[in-house]
Amino acid sequence: MAIKASEEIAEIWKEFKQDQSNQTLRNKLIEQYVPLVRYNAERVWAKLPEGVDLNDLISAGVFGLMDAINAFDLERGVKFETYCVPRIRGAMLDELRTMDWVPRLVRSKASKLEAARKAAEAEHGRPPADEEIARKMQLSRKEFEKLKSEANAVGLVSLNKKWYETDSYKDVREVDILEDAKGEDPTKSIQKRDLMRLVTKGLNRNERLIIILYYYEELTMKEIGSTLGLSESRVSQMHSSIVNRLKEQLGRRRPEFA
């Protein structure tokens, strides 16, 4: 399926949000983003035991996509792809929960694993290592790893699960309070930018690029040399010279940072 131009999609979004009863526009948006559903369904399905139908996950994911389309706020400045994926995956996990897809035998083994962990912790007076739990259960390392992997399937959490109700029209759900470990602190971003301006002030173009590419883009001296058309040794010499000059400059300005 050919991806529509971003300008065309933006116009469809604008028209749809003016009239969300327009099924034609909603269907166009579903058609645009349904590949995301299949992609995420396949990723979830790959981690599941046999017996789960991929098409069931895709169907649930489409409902999650429809919910995301209806709830998406264009004014928030967030890409729809970023916004909708947790809702799609959450709908899939809800479907798995209603299917009660975890076999009883796996649940039983998971309970035994937890019991063995607690017994080993009581015996050693500290959180036990996997090897100690495996010995407690009289399992080989390979058998224990398999059991541990199966037991992890019991602990899936739906991101659409209601966390608590509010007075507003929207309840707070698991996805709304989940910490984004990869999210960047905007304060740190500003500090990093200001520091870069301070450090590169007074440097010529090549010198600024060397500092930015080496410390911010994390390129090697060889890669920087290729970018600037300089030899690796020349970049290294310039870097050493720049660092020494910056040390002197910052040393003289130390009172400003006290």
Side-chain angles (χ1 to χ4, degrees):
M1 181 189 70
I3 302 297
K4 295 182 176 65
S6 58
E7 295 83 0
E8 183 181 350
I9 288 298
E11 187 61 31
I12 293 175
W13 269 115
K14 185 177 179 180
E15 292 180 17
F16 176 69
K17 286 303 175 180
Q18 291 173 350
D19 178 16
Q20 294 200 186
S21 64
N22 191 319
Q23 297 297 313
T24 301
L25 292 175
R26 188 180 72 163
N27 290 341
K28 287 182 179 179
L29 292 172
I30 293 173
E31 181 183 356
Q32 171 70 16
Y33 298 108
V34 77
L36 282 174
V37 175
R38 184 169 189 87
Y39 172 75
N40 283 278
E42 289 175 346
R43 294 190 66 182
V44 172
W45 183 71
K47 299 178 182 179
L48 300 177
E50 294 182 4
V52 179
D53 190 341
L54 174 61
N55 289 326
D56 289 339
L57 293 182
I58 292 175
S59 296
V62 169
F63 283 107
L65 174 62
M66 292 166 61
D67 178 62
I69 289 173
N70 290 330
F72 184 56
D73 185 353
L74 292 173
E75 303 300 323
R76 293 184 64 180
V78 178
K79 289 184 64 176
F80 179 72
E81 291 86 340
T82 303
Y83 172 80
C84 75
V85 167
R87 287 176 174 265
I88 290 172
R89 293 174 68 88
M92 293 175 187
L93 296 182
D94 279 343
E95 176 67 13
L96 291 173
R97 184 177 59 181
T98 58
M99 290 164 57
D100 192 24
W101 62 275
V102 180
R104 290 184 180 179
L105 180 58
V106 174
R107 291 188 186 277
S108 174
K109 288 183 177 181
S111 298
K112 291 179 180 178
L113 175 63
E114 179 61 16
R117 186 195 66 77
K118 289 181 178 179
E121 184 173 7
E123 179 180 334
H124 297 283
R126 56 170 173 75
D130 285 351
E131 292 81 0
E132 294 167 334
I133 302 175
R135 283 199 298 270
K136 198 77 177 174
M137 300 185 73
Q138 297 182 338
L139 296 174
S140 67
R141 181 70 182 190
K142 184 176 181 180
E143 291 172 330
F144 176 78
E145 289 297 336
K146 181 181 178 182
L147 172 62
K148 187 178 177 182
S149 176
E150 291 175 339
N152 285 337
V154 181
L156 286 173
V157 176
S158 169
L159 295 179
N160 274 342
K161 184 181 71 175
K162 186 181 296 184
W163 187 260
Y164 62 84
E165 295 184 354
T166 67
D167 294 332
S168 66
Y169 72 94
K170 180 182 177 183
D171 296 328
V172 177
R173 300 182 182 275
E174 193 83 21
V175 66
D176 298 315
I177 54 88
L178 191 66
E179 179 185 4
D180 182 5
K182 295 183 179 179
E184 185 174 343
D185 185 341
T187 304
K188 291 183 178 179
S189 178
I190 293 172
Q191 291 174 340
K192 188 175 181 180
R193 185 184 62 200
D194 289 344
L195 180 60
M196 182 177 69
R197 289 176 178 173
L198 173 65
V199 169
T200 59
K201 186 178 181 180
L203 300 180
N204 62 38
R205 176 182 176 276
N206 278 356
E207 290 173 334
R208 283 199 306 273
L209 284 173
I210 288 173
I211 293 298
I212 293 171
L213 294 176
Y214 187 72
Y215 291 102
Y216 288 83
E217 302 299 330
E218 299 182 352
L219 269 62
T220 65
M221 296 290 184
K222 184 176 182 179
E223 291 170 334
I224 295 172
S226 298
T227 301
L228 300 181
L230 301 172
S231 66
E232 182 179 356
S233 60
R234 178 56 181 156
V235 172
S236 180
Q237 290 173 359
M238 292 179 68
H239 172 262
S240 298
S241 175
I242 295 167
V243 170
N244 290 333
R245 283 160 50 198
L246 289 175
K247 284 181 179 179
E248 293 178 6
Q249 292 175 12
L250 293 176
R252 292 194 301 268
R253 299 183 62 181
R254 185 180 296 275
E256 298 179 28
F257 306 105

